Amino acid sequence: MAILSAPGLTGLAYAAPAPEPGKKSLEEVRKEIEDLYHKAAAATDAYNLAEGEAKRQSDQIVALANQIVAGQQRIADLKNRAGAAARAQYRTGGLPPGAQLALSNSPRQFLDGADRLRQGEKATMGVIAELNRTQDDLTRYAAEASAHWRTLEANRLKKEAAKKEIDSKIAAAKALEDKLEAEEKARLLKLEQEHAYKEQSKWLESGVLKEINGKATEAGKAAIRYATAQIGKPYIWGAEGPKGYDCSGLTSEAWKAAGTPIPRTSQEQLRLLKKVPIRDMRPGDLIIYFDDASHVAMYIGDGAMVHAPRPGRHVTIAGAGSMPIKAIVRPDA
């Protein structure tokens, strides 16, 4: 049976009282709040992406630092070897053992000494070549580390900018809601539910659900079990559980629990996961919403999805068509 109505709605339109002259209607307030939260969601994805990239850069810097330390130790060892050879030459009057043998009156000793002399020269050249290579590696590692530091700093600035935008949008939306009386807040929730109901109804009336009959894989079932077990937990921007989630935090953690790690943000999930037509959608697939791919949910079957909606709301089940669908992606393609 398809999900059609939102909780507390019977399918009948909800008529909000007319606003006072010069005052915004509750529907206008709803749209303004929705727009602010939408912009906050887009900024949250930018923040999460920058945070993930910052972690990768930090890991690269640590790895390069380890390589630099190992390279410095290698250079020290090579210099010790070169120093030992130089000290040996000094003790023998500047002639290495091979050269002394080469100057021997014995033909056999001469041949043996010449061979050892060639081997010694080859070994010395090898030490010098390895020393040069190691020094070149250290120069390259240092340059790469500097580049990673610059990228890390750029991502830090991106995170700060995104966080400021998130905070400002959420604060503005909350300020609008805080101005409402308790009765108006209840009506606002009804309007949100009615809007979602209308969008879901239009989606179902298109006949799309008749084409959707895919079956969940075992991994998909595991991801759904995880996601639905989080129902009732609050939306927290940037969160990946266990106390709360943002939209992509919920979907990425659900699929991680199912044994299939996926990208952290909705934009990256759209970019990197396999896209499938809506008619081929199956439970466990992810639904990417809005043109900017700023929201994601998990399809659970029968026209329903589970998602973390926005700040001030909790993880819940809703109609899969209650928001404009941009694409369907499959983590376990």
Side-chain angles (χ1 to χ4, degrees):
M1 182 178 179
I3 289 289
L4 179 61
S5 60
L9 292 179
T10 61
L12 299 176
Y14 174 76
E20 297 175 10
K23 183 179 178 181
K24 290 180 180 178
S25 70
L26 202 55
E27 175 61 13
E28 288 174 323
V29 172
R30 182 196 71 77
K31 287 180 178 179
E32 190 172 349
I33 290 174
E34 183 181 84
D35 182 61
L36 286 167
Y37 280 129
H38 180 92
K39 289 175 179 176
T44 297
D45 236 35
Y47 177 92
N48 289 335
L49 185 62
E51 183 176 45
E53 183 59 26
K55 185 180 185 308
R56 283 191 290 273
Q57 297 301 328
S58 295
D59 291 344
Q60 287 289 334
I61 290 169
V62 170
L64 285 167
N66 290 333
Q67 289 176 305
I68 288 172
V69 169
Q72 289 171 336
Q73 183 60 51
R74 182 63 179 156
I75 285 176
D77 292 341
L78 290 168
K79 285 181 176 179
N80 285 337
R81 286 168 57 185
R87 288 191 296 273
Q89 286 185 340
Y90 177 78
R91 286 195 300 269
T92 57
L95 293 176
Q100 293 182 48
L101 289 171
L103 297 176
S104 170
N105 292 326
S106 167
R108 180 176 294 278
Q109 285 184 334
F110 174 81
L111 292 174
D112 290 344
D115 184 57
R116 290 177 61 185
L117 181 60
R118 284 193 297 271
Q119 290 177 2
E121 290 174 344
K122 185 177 180 181
T124 301
M125 291 176 64
V127 170
I128 293 171
E130 189 172 352
L131 185 62
N132 289 336
R133 283 197 302 270
T134 305
Q135 288 175 330
D136 289 344
D137 286 343
L138 286 179
T139 301
R140 178 167 54 84
Y141 294 155
E144 289 179 8
S146 296
H148 285 301
W149 272 116
R150 288 192 294 272
T151 304
L152 185 65
E153 177 62 12
N155 279 305
R156 185 186 67 78
L157 295 175
K158 286 179 185 177
K159 283 174 61 178
E160 287 184 358
K163 188 176 185 304
K164 286 180 182 178
E165 184 173 0
I166 293 162
D167 289 342
S168 68
K169 301 304 183 195
I170 291 177
K174 190 174 183 302
L176 282 173
E177 289 188 270
D178 288 345
K179 290 178 182 178
L180 301 175
E181 301 293 335
E183 183 181 345
E184 290 177 311
K185 288 181 180 179
R187 295 206 308 269
L188 178 65
L189 179 58
K190 291 280 188 182
L191 284 173
E192 287 180 5
Q193 292 171 342
E194 180 189 313
H195 178 73
Y197 169 83
K198 287 180 178 177
E199 294 302 310
Q200 175 74 352
S201 297
K202 286 192 291 185
W203 187 67
L204 293 176
E205 287 166 4
S206 71
V208 65
L209 201 58
K210 295 176 182 177
E211 300 179 337
I212 301 174
N213 54 14
K215 303 298 181 184
T217 61
E218 290 304 313
K221 291 175 183 177
I224 291 170
R225 281 195 298 271
Y226 181 96
T228 53
Q230 313 313 311
I231 289 174
K233 292 184 179 181
Y235 178 105
I236 302 174
W237 75 262
E240 301 172 80
K243 294 182 178 179
Y245 300 84
D246 62 19
C247 65
S248 57
L250 177 65
T251 54
S252 60
E253 287 300 302
W255 272 102
K256 184 193 294 183
T260 305
I262 62 173
R264 170 63 177 87
T265 69
S266 56
Q267 282 100 340
E268 288 295 279
Q269 289 169 4
L270 172 65
R271 187 173 73 87
L272 297 174
L273 300 181
K274 180 182 178 180
K275 299 175 183 63
V276 297
I278 289 182
R279 66 177 180 275
D280 294 334
M281 183 166 60
R282 68 190 185 198
D285 285 347
L286 304 183
I287 308 174
I288 308 295
Y289 292 101
F290 303 111
D291 287 340
D292 59 1
S294 58
H295 191 68
V296 61
M298 181 182 294
Y299 185 62
I300 60 174
D302 291 329
M305 55 83 163
V306 60
H307 71 147
R310 67 164 175 82
R313 298 292 182 258
H314 296 76
V315 176
T316 189
I317 290 176
S322 56
M323 292 175 284
I325 296 174
K326 180 177 179 64
I328 309 298
V329 295
R330 178 162 295 163
D332 61 339

